[in-house]
Amino acid sequence: MKSDNIKNQYRVNEQIRVREVRIVGDGGSTVVPTRQALDMARDQGVDLVEISPNANPPVCRLIDYSKFLYQQKKRAKEMKAKQVKVEVKEIRFGPQTDEHDYQFKLKHAKEFLEDGNKVRAYVFFRGRSILFKEQGEVLLLRFANDLEEYGKVEHMPSLEGKKMFLYLAPKKAGVAKKSQQALDREKKANEQKEAPKQAQEKETDVDMPANGGLFANAKMSAAAKEKLNIKD
């Protein structure tokens, strides 16, 4: 069916019934009467294929029609492969979900959003549990807050029948925006990592070799050399 759709998009040879056409090729383009273009196609053993019918005059190519269709199918396939397919992944909670289950589902939601998918989280209220709808809303709002580095809220929690839904969309692909808390934690970790290195460098500065080390060729006063314990 798809093959037929591509095939029916183009007019070829005698199906082209305009007075003149523009023929494009590697050497540029030229406008000629349609009858002349058909003769040129026959002489070259190819087809006259109309590729832009709305142009004035319509644009055609001199090419084997089967080869042309193959090129179009290949191009369509490549374009489809490049398109990012966004799926909607569902995460289901109960109104009284325990912490372990919550963290398990939070981890999966992070993975979904990092992969570029949307997340539809919902709390299902069974029977009399609808009395805990406020508790379900709090849970979904916490869920959205814990995922702020990975996704943005498209739709705040809303009750639809026995389900309360929250919709999240991924942030820019490959870039998870970090919260200020995460940045502060990273900064603190880097400072702790650098502390031993800085202490070591300080010790190295104190333990100068007798001949002056790095300062051997520097111009210093006698008082400065004596203070640094450098001998001439």
Side-chain angles (χ1 to χ4, degrees):
M1 184 64 70
K2 289 183 179 179
S3 176
D4 291 339
N5 289 338
I6 294 177
K7 192 172 182 179
N8 294 331
Q9 284 181 7
Y10 304 97
R11 291 187 295 185
V12 58
N13 296 329
E14 304 297 337
Q15 295 174 347
I16 304 171
R17 296 174 182 174
V18 292
R19 188 177 63 180
E20 59 184 12
V21 295
R22 179 183 297 277
I23 296 178
V24 295
D26 296 336
S29 68
T30 181
V31 177
V32 298
T34 304
R35 180 52 54 190
Q36 182 180 339
L38 288 168
D39 291 340
M40 292 168 63
R42 275 192 290 267
D43 290 343
Q44 296 180 28
V46 294
D47 298 294
L48 181 67
V49 182
E50 185 183 62
I51 59 174
S52 184
N54 296 325
N56 187 20
V59 179
C60 296
R61 285 184 62 188
L62 298 174
I63 187 172
D64 181 86
Y65 190 45
S66 298
K67 181 180 178 181
F68 174 77
L69 289 178
Y70 171 77
Q71 291 176 348
Q72 295 303 109
K73 291 174 190 174
K74 185 179 178 182
R75 188 176 302 170
K77 189 175 181 180
E78 289 173 351
M79 288 179 67
K80 186 176 180 180
K82 289 179 181 178
Q83 289 177 347
V84 178
K85 188 177 180 181
V86 178
E87 296 182 8
V88 179
K89 302 290 187 178
E90 282 197 343
I91 301 287
R92 173 177 168 166
F93 292 102
Q96 297 179 332
T97 300
D98 62 46
E99 186 62 23
H100 180 268
D101 191 30
Y102 175 84
Q103 292 298 331
F104 177 77
K105 291 176 178 179
L106 180 67
K107 179 185 175 184
H108 279 288
K110 288 178 181 178
E111 292 172 354
F112 294 150
L113 292 167
E114 285 180 326
D115 290 340
N117 298 308
K118 292 187 176 185
V119 170
R120 177 170 60 191
Y122 68 93
V123 180
F124 180 67
F125 301 98
R126 189 190 304 274
R128 292 176 60 83
S129 67
I130 192 69
L131 298 173
F132 299 100
K133 62 181 179 180
E134 289 81 8
Q135 190 171 331
E137 183 178 8
V138 170
L139 182 135
L140 290 176
L141 289 173
R142 176 193 174 190
F143 192 65
N145 185 64
D146 289 343
L147 292 168
E148 64 174 347
E149 295 178 13
Y150 306 88
K152 56 187 177 183
V153 176
E154 274 195 337
H155 194 286
M156 293 295 284
S158 62
L159 188 63
E160 299 176 22
K162 292 185 178 181
K163 296 179 181 179
M164 182 175 285
F165 290 95
L166 168 75
Y167 293 86
L168 297 167
K171 289 191 175 178
K172 193 173 181 180
V175 180
K177 187 178 179 182
K178 296 181 180 177
S179 65
Q180 189 58 47
Q181 290 180 341
L183 292 171
D184 291 341
R185 285 197 298 270
E186 279 191 9
K187 183 179 179 182
K188 189 174 180 180
N190 289 332
E191 287 175 352
Q192 291 175 348
K193 194 183 294 182
E194 290 293 327
K197 193 184 294 183
Q198 291 174 355
Q200 187 177 0
E201 289 174 354
K202 200 175 261 187
E203 289 177 7
T204 305
D205 290 342
V206 173
D207 298 333
M208 295 290 181
N211 62 358
L214 294 173
F215 299 101
N217 297 323
K219 294 181 180 179
M220 296 184 182
S221 64
K225 289 183 179 180
E226 184 178 350
K227 192 170 183 179
L228 291 170
N229 195 24
I230 298 176
K231 298 180 181 180
D232 293 330

